[in-house]
Amino acid sequence: MIVRPFGAGAVLVECAAPETLGLLAQIDDALAPLGSAVIEVVPGIGSIVITHPLTEPARTRIVEALSAIVPTLAAPAVTTAVALDVRYDGADLDDLARSLGMAAAEVIARHSAATYRVACCGFAPGFAYLTGLDPALNTPRLESPRPRVPAGAVAIAGRYTGVYPRPSPGGWTLLGSCDAELFNLDRDPPALLEPGMTVRFRVAATGSGRLL
Amino acid sequence: MTLAVGATGPLALIQDLGRPGHARSGVPASGAYDRAALRMANTLVGNASGAPALECLLGGLMLTTTERCTVAVTGADVPIEVSANETAPPPATETGRESPDPARRSMPLRQPFELRPGMRLRLGRAREGLRTYVGVRGGIAGTAVLGSTATDTLSGLGPRRLMPGDRLEIGSQWVEFPGPEPLKLRPLSAVAHVVAGAREIRVQLGPFDDIPREIVAELLNDGDWRVSPNSDRVGLRLHATALSAADWPGTQPRATPPRGPTPMFRGVIQMPPSGELIIMGPDAPTTGGYPIIGVVDDADLDCLAQLRPGRSVRFSVD
């Protein structure tokens, strides 16, 4: 891990992408005693950012605490497993299957067979980047993003899969849809998926909309 | 007590100091773009400095009050007019000509003044700067979402933008005079700096070296950077007339493969392959994928709120 200054109010810890979640758990533990010297610890993939007040003592204490960490390189234990029921009726499913040279049923089978892990959130409240996608499904973002992707759309891009929490523009390839509320302000916490959780997609229906 | 919204101008929002602390769930901090102007508007009317106030783009706001209230206007330099309700006919003189309306008065920026029941506050078009803040004694009441009443234009959290016909309730976030915080009117405001052209936007390079820092420093220092009309609360976009996409340093051999999503916050500067710079605003997403080249000094963030499209921007790299 490499600790880098990130402006005057944050430090960034750089690490190998697969080590991020393990390091996040270690950093959460190491910084817990620092109280108000830490505003927030936010994971990316291959980086973790710690924001802090604009005072030198805060940064010094954070950097000291970080320097005591010996990365274990192990992914942390799974605390919460979430299963989402998906209707595989996405607008891009057939095009994707054709471009990958496989049947739509195989795309569905591969996507629903994997166990995913929430690596980080971003893009929108409650949007989780899920890692663990079958490499055979690796596909670039759409050349031009759609102006509107519906809430609950299950999509893939590059090495990731994810679920759109609310209607928004989006450039990911749409495989299906689900009814789960990814972000609900009446819940605490509002986000259904948080870094470290595992996620599985269960096949609720295929293109015809008929329940299997 | 309510304020009736008669007109909003291009964009009028309720803003406070935002909801930091939820980035792990993908929630942007949001909040006033020119934080100093928001604090000043609140302090002038005797509110807690982070109370919800109105953020108005370019002016054009019109409010009518049902009861006596104290307001102050800060930020972008707008004409401020206070008048009796427009339904009242103007008084006529004996010669039949309209006299100057004694009930229609200009008000100064950065000074508290009172509105009596039925009076109307109208902001003209901003002469300098971009964002004006209207503080009301008590603050604007609203349902807090994750601890803030701020409107997040990207994620849709918080109240929607104001519309003509809205009625705003006044809150109770006032403090006893004199308030706990000394009234600081200097530095006057971000607008003063922007107008004077004296302010360079200070940048700390990093955190990565994906694009070599000497190249970034040269681009920032020497480029003729101008504010793009595509700028908004999500990000301030800048383009340099001399820099085309072909000059983008990311295409040079030393640039590394793209990174995964990287956490961002207000002030982070991205340099996407288009050759533009994007400086993250209050409503910016919490992670990003484009190369990050630096962070704007916190003391210069409020200035960014007041930069109009087309304005030239100078950087100073540490």
Side-chain angles (χ1 to χ4, degrees):
Chain A
M1 62 181 256
I2 307 167
V3 179
R4 301 174 179 276
F6 194 8
V11 293
L12 180 143
V13 180
E14 192 179 354
C15 60
E19 295 165 13
T20 318
L21 278 180
L23 193 54
L24 175 67
Q26 288 186 288
I27 290 177
D28 278 342
D29 287 346
L31 299 186
L34 268 57
S36 61
V38 174
I39 297 175
E40 198 175 7
V41 181
V42 186
I45 298 179
S47 60
I48 296 166
V49 168
I50 300 125
T51 51
H52 59 77
L54 293 167
T55 54
E56 202 49 47
R59 168 168 293 190
T60 307
R61 291 179 65 199
I62 289 167
V63 172
E64 275 173 11
L66 291 175
S67 67
I69 292 175
V70 180
T72 60
L73 307 186
V78 175
T79 51
T80 311
V82 176
L84 300 175
D85 293 323
V86 180
R87 293 178 298 275
Y88 281 95
D89 56 2
D92 300 323
L93 182 63
D94 290 337
D95 284 348
L96 174 72
R98 206 171 301 122
S99 74
L100 296 177
M102 57 177 83
E106 186 180 350
V107 173
I108 295 169
R110 286 180 184 269
H111 187 259
S112 58
T115 299
Y116 301 95
R117 196 110 200 225
V118 179
C120 70
C121 293
F123 172 69
F127 183 88
Y129 287 85
L130 304 176
T131 54
L133 182 69
D134 186 328
L137 298 182
N138 196 315
T139 185
R141 283 166 199 243
L142 302 181
E143 280 184 21
S144 175
R146 282 190 171 82
R148 189 178 162 93
V149 172
V154 177
I156 59 173
R159 292 162 288 164
Y160 312 120
T161 187
V163 185
Y164 284 84
R166 61 188 290 269
S168 65
W172 289 28
T173 297
L174 305 185
L175 301 188
S177 54
C178 73
D179 295 329
E181 280 189 304
L182 276 297
F183 193 82
N184 178 348
L185 286 166
D186 296 329
R187 251 187 342 229
D188 186 22
L192 177 67
L193 304 180
E194 302 220 303
M197 291 181 179
T198 60
V199 178
R200 295 199 57 138
F201 294 109
R202 292 189 301 223
V203 184
T206 53
S208 63
R210 185 175 57 86
L211 281 173
L212 290 180
Chain B
M1 179 174 85
T2 59
L3 294 170
V5 178
T8 62
L11 181 65
L13 304 169
I14 299 175
Q15 291 296 339
D16 53 21
L17 293 176
R19 49 183 75 83
H22 304 282
R24 197 183 273 212
S25 302
V27 178
S30 193
Y33 213 145
D34 184 342
R35 300 161 302 180
L38 175 96
R39 288 195 183 100
M40 188 192 288
N42 276 320
T43 306
L44 285 168
V45 296
N47 285 348
S49 64
L54 302 180
E55 179 181 282
C56 309
L57 189 70
L58 268 177
L61 181 77
M62 208 160 75
L63 299 172
T64 307
T65 180
T66 60
E67 280 175 53
R68 202 176 178 102
C69 65
T70 305
V71 301
V73 180
T74 63
D77 179 15
V78 290
I80 306 164
E81 189 190 85
V82 167
S83 59
N85 198 320
E86 58 191 323
T87 54
T93 60
E94 285 174 2
T95 60
R97 286 194 319 211
E98 287 185 14
S99 68
D101 185 351
R104 182 169 296 203
R105 292 191 297 147
S106 282
M107 289 292 169
L109 265 180
R110 298 188 291 274
Q111 278 188 34
F113 52 89
E114 270 200 320
L115 297 177
R116 290 191 303 278
M119 285 182 92
R120 192 183 64 179
L121 169 72
R122 192 176 146 271
L123 304 184
R125 188 185 165 88
R127 292 175 284 239
E128 295 285 358
L130 204 53
R131 291 181 170 88
T132 298
Y133 294 81
V134 179
V136 184
R137 182 153 168 87
I140 306 293
T143 308
V145 171
L146 298 174
S148 165
T149 314
T151 300
D152 182 335
T153 59
L154 181 78
S155 69
L157 295 184
R160 63 158 170 73
R161 62 190 287 176
L162 298 192
M163 307 279 276
D166 282 351
R167 301 182 76 81
L168 304 173
E169 298 297 322
I170 303 305
S172 55
Q173 296 198 33
W174 50 271
V175 294
E176 300 288 343
F177 279 116
E181 293 166 63
L183 199 57
K184 277 193 293 189
L185 292 180
R186 301 212 177 263
L188 268 181
S189 67
V191 176
H193 290 293
V194 170
V195 172
R199 180 63 71 91
E200 289 182 327
I201 304 299
R202 287 163 291 188
V203 173
Q204 190 179 106
L205 299 184
F208 304 119
D209 305 292
D210 296 347
I211 300 175
R213 293 192 188 196
E214 61 271 20
I215 293 179
V216 172
E218 197 180 314
L219 282 172
L220 291 183
N221 286 330
D222 301 345
D224 175 25
W225 294 100
R226 286 178 187 275
V227 176
S228 156
N230 294 333
S231 301
D232 56 20
R233 284 179 48 87
V234 176
L236 185 80
R237 290 169 180 259
L238 301 148
H239 57 266
T241 45
L243 183 69
S244 71
D247 299 325
W248 187 64
T251 59
Q252 294 179 9
R254 278 183 62 183
T256 52
R259 295 173 181 276
T262 303
M264 304 191 296
F265 44 87
R266 188 175 168 167
V268 166
I269 310 173
Q270 286 183 333
M271 188 182 273
S274 62
E276 271 184 324
L277 295 181
I278 307 173
I279 307 178
M280 298 306 131
D283 297 349
T286 56
T287 61
Y290 289 124
I292 294 172
I293 59 164
V295 182
V296 172
D297 192 303
D298 189 77
D300 293 341
L301 284 181
D302 291 334
C303 284
L304 303 180
Q306 303 294 357
L307 293 170
R308 290 186 177 208
R311 187 171 273 278
S312 169
V313 172
R314 287 180 299 134
F315 291 101
S316 134
V317 176
D318 65 351

